[in-house]
Amino acid sequence: MFRPKVPTNPAPTGIVTPLTTVPAAVVQQPQTPAPVAPAAPARPTVQLTPGTVVALVGGGTAVVLVVGAVLVSMLLAVAITGASLAICALVIRSLITAEHKQR
C-alpha cells in the first residue's frame, strides 16, 4: 500500500520515425483590427456600514479571546504537569534516601 507504483511504458512496436513537416509557403493576409471588447468593470468596492464594522470588530475580539484562553490553558496544563512531576520526584527521592538510612 505504501510502495510507489511506477507506471510501465510499453515498448514501441516496429521502427519509429519522427514526423517531418515541410513548411508550406507563408501567405500573409492583410490584418484587420480586431474589435475591442468593452473594458471589464473594476472590482466592486466593499461598502462597510457601521453595523458591519461593529460585527467585524466583535468577531475579531471573540476570536482573539478564544485563542488566548486556549493558549493560556495549555500553558497552565504544562506548568501543573511539571510541578506535579517535580513533587513526585522529591517524594520518591526522600523515600529512597529514608530506606537507605534505615539499613
Side-chain angles (χ1 to χ4, degrees), residues 6 18 39 42 46 49 53 81 87 98 102:
V6 180
V46 177
T49 61
V53 170
T81 303
I87 291 171
Q102 288 178 358

Side-chain angles (χ1 to χ4, degrees), residues 19-27:
L19 295 175
T20 58
T21 57
V22 178
V26 177
V27 178

